[in-house]
Amino acid sequence: MSVAAAFEPAEAQLKDALLALLKVAKEQGRRVTLTRMKAAKLLYLADLAAVSDGMPPISGASWKWHDYGPFDHALYDVEDQLLWSNKMNRQDGRILQAMHGSVVLSLADDVKQVEDPLPPGAMGILRRIVVEHGAKNATTLKDLSYATPPMAEAQAGGQRGVVLNLDRAREAKKVRALIERHRALLQDQGVDQDDPGVAAELIAEQTEFDELRRRANTKELGDA
């Protein structure tokens, strides 16, 4: 198998994911203007949401820490494929409004004529992410992406270009759930009672993140 052929399935998945995002954005009408940077961040957030829910990532992208947060350069090729197949419009955002950024992407066809490119579960997550974050500008989405566990881990390591570990989103969700469970038990049972099982799980989970927190603190304090 050639190197190009080895990457075809992931690229096809990424193309379907971007097309799905274009459809979902158009469903929102003028509320959502989709720039290239926003598209990347929304797909990244959708992947994190899927992983947190125990599903595979939606986009199939290989997210890496680049200058503006998570990005996969395969998106450039996928954009071209959708453009050449007349499924997407691509415009210089400066023609529209300076706030839209350099490249604006939109679905070429009427949204009602385009079938959902992804399974219902994945489409549901995309719609949820776009409703929640689609109207935000690119800078806000960039800052939001930097605050996610995979990006926090990459920043703690201090190396750009590293592949982001999306499983950190699932681990962080598990820790939050344990903390909330522990708090609920304390409220229900009183501070003198406890659930040893929950405490043990919390200790184990938090210990796993000790090294990550140490590196992040060291970098923040300038001691690295």
Side-chain angles (χ1 to χ4, degrees):
M1 179 182 291
S2 68
V3 173
F7 283 92
E8 285 176 1
E11 190 171 272
Q13 182 180 351
L14 183 56
K15 182 171 70 174
D16 287 344
L18 180 56
L19 181 60
L21 179 62
L22 294 172
K23 178 182 180 180
V24 172
K26 195 164 187 176
E27 290 172 351
Q28 295 295 311
R30 295 183 179 181
R31 178 177 174 272
V32 176
T33 298
L34 201 63
T35 65
R36 174 181 288 154
M37 183 181 292
K38 283 183 61 173
K41 301 303 176 286
L42 290 171
L43 287 175
Y44 169 74
L45 292 175
D47 278 352
L48 288 188
V51 171
S52 295
D53 290 346
M55 297 170 52
I58 289 172
S59 74
S62 178
W63 297 112
K64 296 181 180 180
W65 177 21
H66 291 291
D67 290 341
Y68 299 101
F71 195 75
D72 184 347
H73 286 100
L75 282 165
Y76 293 125
D77 294 332
V78 166
E79 275 186 29
D80 289 340
Q81 292 176 33
L82 291 176
L83 188 68
W84 296 334
S85 61
N86 297 316
K87 294 181 178 180
M88 184 189 79
N89 296 320
R90 186 168 62 190
Q91 295 177 281
D92 186 334
R94 289 171 295 183
I95 297 175
L96 303 176
Q97 293 183 23
M99 64 176 288
H100 287 163
S102 59
V103 178
V104 176
L105 313 176
S106 62
L107 189 70
D109 297 324
D110 185 285
V111 69
K112 295 181 180 179
Q113 298 176 351
V114 179
E115 295 184 0
D116 286 352
L118 298 176
M123 292 299 300
I125 289 175
L126 266 181
R127 289 189 170 102
R128 187 178 80 207
I129 291 296
V130 171
V131 167
E132 185 175 356
H133 301 295
K136 297 173 182 176
N137 61 37
T139 299
T140 300
L141 287 177
K142 181 194 73 172
D143 293 342
L144 183 62
S145 72
Y146 267 83
T148 60
M151 278 296 298
E153 181 181 40
Q155 292 172 83
Q159 291 184 314
R160 292 181 183 270
V162 297
V163 177
L164 302 179
N165 181 6
L166 300 189
D167 283 337
R168 289 302 185 194
R170 183 183 294 116
E171 294 164 359
K173 181 179 181 180
K174 184 177 179 182
V175 170
R176 289 194 299 269
L178 285 167
I179 292 173
E180 290 304 316
R181 179 183 166 198
H182 191 55
R183 286 174 178 170
L185 285 168
L186 289 177
Q187 290 175 356
D188 291 342
Q189 301 175 3
V191 294
D192 292 333
Q193 300 186 41
D194 200 356
D195 182 341
V198 173
E201 290 180 64
L202 280 171
I203 292 171
E205 291 287 347
Q206 293 180 7
T207 299
E208 183 178 347
F209 287 94
D210 281 348
E211 177 62 19
L212 176 58
R213 285 195 297 270
R214 186 194 64 77
R215 286 186 289 156
N217 290 336
T218 299
K219 182 177 176 63
E220 184 69 22
L221 294 172
D223 296 330

